[in-house]
Amino acid sequence: MSTRHVLRPVEIPVDTERVTHRHHRWLAAGFVLGGLIAIFGLFAGLDATAVSAAFARSVSRQWSAIGVESAKWVLIAGSALGVLVGAMLLFYPNAESTLERFANKWGVSRRVTRSWDDCT
């Protein structure tokens, strides 16, 4: 069974450099605004006990509340990271190229999964 045809659209490189460099302030503002909205929404609007009561039975309600509360804090931390990245791009525009060099390492799933064929 081959995944080559399914993963082809994902593995084609797309050049977004011109757009992101031209509109880096808008991109940074989007990160900051999106992160702040997500943090506020998670703090104000997510009640872990109410969510767990809606989805779990009485026995597993406490465990469900712990899971929902943990997911809430992971999402808040990710949103805070988005705010930090946006602020970095807003105040230090040259840092974008450093971030791109770090994150723009091209990985092809075929190289990683090639050795899996020998396992059968």
Side-chain angles (χ1 to χ4, degrees), residues 10 15 24 26 30 34 36 41 47 53 61 63 66-67 74 86 89-90 98 102 104 107 117:
V10 178
D15 182 29
H24 71 277
W26 286 105
L36 290 174
D47 183 18
R61 191 172 291 163
W63 291 105
I66 291 171
V74 167
L89 292 175
L90 194 60
T98 306
F102 173 72
N104 201 15
D117 293 336

Side-chain angles (χ1 to χ4, degrees), residues 2-113:
S2 176
T3 60
R4 178 177 281 171
H5 299 293
V6 176
L7 293 176
R8 176 172 274 153
V10 178
E11 293 187 359
I12 295 174
V14 178
D15 182 29
T16 60
E17 193 167 325
R18 287 176 286 154
V19 176
T20 58
H21 285 286
R22 190 173 10 173
H23 303 293
H24 71 277
R25 299 265 186 221
W26 286 105
L27 179 68
F31 270 98
V32 171
L33 185 64
L36 290 174
I37 289 171
I39 289 170
F40 176 74
L42 287 166
F43 269 130
L46 185 66
D47 183 18
T49 55
V51 172
S52 63
F55 290 111
R57 297 180 186 224
S58 63
V59 176
S60 62
R61 191 172 291 163
Q62 291 175 339
W63 291 105
S64 176
I66 291 171
V68 170
E69 191 70 28
S70 299
K72 172 184 168 180
W73 284 105
V74 167
L75 289 171
I76 288 173
S79 298
L81 181 64
V83 169
L84 287 175
V85 168
M88 180 191 70
L89 292 175
L90 194 60
F91 295 116
Y92 303 106
N94 294 333
E96 180 184 8
S97 54
T98 306
L99 180 65
E100 283 178 354
R101 266 188 272 123
F102 173 72
N104 201 15
K105 294 185 172 90
W106 190 253
V108 180
S109 61
R110 180 100 174 122
R111 273 189 229 141
V112 174
T113 61

